[in-house]
Amino acid sequence: MKEVFFGYTHQIIYTFVVILVLFIIQKILKKTAQRIGHQSDLHVTRIKLMFKYINILITIIAIFLLALTWGYGAADLALIFSSAFAIIGVAMFAIWSILSNITAGIILFFSFPYKIGSKIKIHDKDLPVEAVIEDIKAFHLHLRTMDGELITYPNNLILQKAVSLIEKDYATDEGKDAL
């Protein structure tokens, strides 16, 4: 056991340093996302979704840095990552709408002016929608029409269509009227 520890002392120390630094960066990013979410009055599920994205980013960075620490050369890592990204790129090209919806979900997190509970109207010539936002997910919005119908509306389309705010916090206002 001592031979293993003393033989790889630098790698073990670097591993702990990398993990500690990435843990601190992760906490800072999560606090920042939480602060932005609270300042923008975003629903907690949207903030938790950003936490998932932050975790994925930190994990990818950790794998890369730990591979460098344990002796993989930059050329080896470049080959592995370029091969993986080529395969992922071909696969994602086939399902590009998923990527566009995830990207739109991130954009909606930071700049969507409507909140959960807002009554909106989507100006779409093929399918005009007037509904209350029930939830905002990574790929789509849950919209509830006045007839009680649940519509899942893709995030990338909500960024492409004109949207009007009819009533702010419709569900909350409705509950206040009942009191």
Side-chain angles (χ1 to χ4, degrees), residues 17 34 36 43 47 83 102 115 131 156 159:
V17 169
Q34 189 170 23
I36 290 171
H43 196 267
I47 296 169
S83 299
I102 291 173
K115 311 288 185 238
N156 61 351
L159 291 178

Side-chain angles (χ1 to χ4, degrees), residues 5 19 21 33 39 42 45 48 50 57 60 64 77 105-107 128 131 134-135 141 169:
F5 181 75
I19 290 172
V21 168
Q39 286 174 349
L42 299 177
T45 55
K48 287 182 181 179
M50 288 309 299
L57 175 69
I60 290 170
F64 180 77
L77 288 177
I106 293 170
I107 293 169
E134 276 194 357
D135 201 0
L141 298 173
D169 295 328

Side-chain angles (χ1 to χ4, degrees), residues 153-170:
Y153 203 83
N155 285 341
N156 61 351
L157 288 182
I158 199 78
L159 291 178
Q160 297 174 13
K161 306 292 179 184
V163 179
S164 299
L165 177 65
I166 295 174
E167 254 180 273
K168 189 173 182 179
D169 295 328
Y170 179 76

Side-chain angles (χ1 to χ4, degrees), residues 22-173:
L22 288 178
F23 180 75
I24 292 169
I25 291 171
Q26 179 185 31
K27 290 295 182 188
I28 291 170
L29 289 174
K30 283 185 175 183
K31 289 255 188 221
T32 303
Q34 189 170 23
R35 188 178 66 241
I36 290 171
H38 288 303
Q39 286 174 349
S40 301
D41 195 31
L42 299 177
H43 196 267
V44 68
T45 55
R46 290 181 67 193
I47 296 169
K48 287 182 181 179
L49 183 63
M50 288 309 299
F51 288 173
K52 287 181 186 179
Y53 294 150
I54 290 169
N55 288 339
I56 290 169
L57 175 69
I58 293 296
T59 302
I60 290 170
I61 292 171
I63 290 170
F64 180 77
L65 292 176
L66 291 176
L68 283 175
T69 299
W70 285 92
Y72 288 95
D76 297 334
L77 288 177
L79 178 64
I80 291 169
F81 276 100
S82 65
S83 299
F85 285 131
I87 292 169
I88 291 170
V90 169
M92 290 301 174
F93 181 75
I95 51 174
W96 66 270
S97 64
I98 291 176
L99 278 178
S100 66
N101 281 320
I102 291 173
T103 305
I106 293 170
I107 293 169
L108 289 176
F109 177 79
F110 290 107
S111 65
F112 196 52
Y114 315 114
K115 311 288 185 238
I116 294 173
S118 297
K119 185 176 179 184
I120 62 169
K121 180 175 183 178
I122 301 171
H123 303 278
D124 186 1
K125 66 179 181 175
D126 297 327
L127 179 69
V129 176
E130 187 172 318
V132 175
I133 300 173
E134 276 194 357
D135 201 0
I136 301 173
K137 303 280 186 182
F139 299 104
H140 56 272
L141 298 173
H142 283 179
L143 304 173
R144 181 74 62 181
T145 65
M146 299 306 112
D147 299 331
E149 179 182 13
L150 178 66
I151 298 174
T152 56
Y153 203 83
N155 285 341
N156 61 351
L157 288 182
I158 199 78
L159 291 178
Q160 297 174 13
K161 306 292 179 184
V163 179
S164 299
L165 177 65
I166 295 174
E167 254 180 273
K168 189 173 182 179
D169 295 328
Y170 179 76
T172 309
D173 292 342

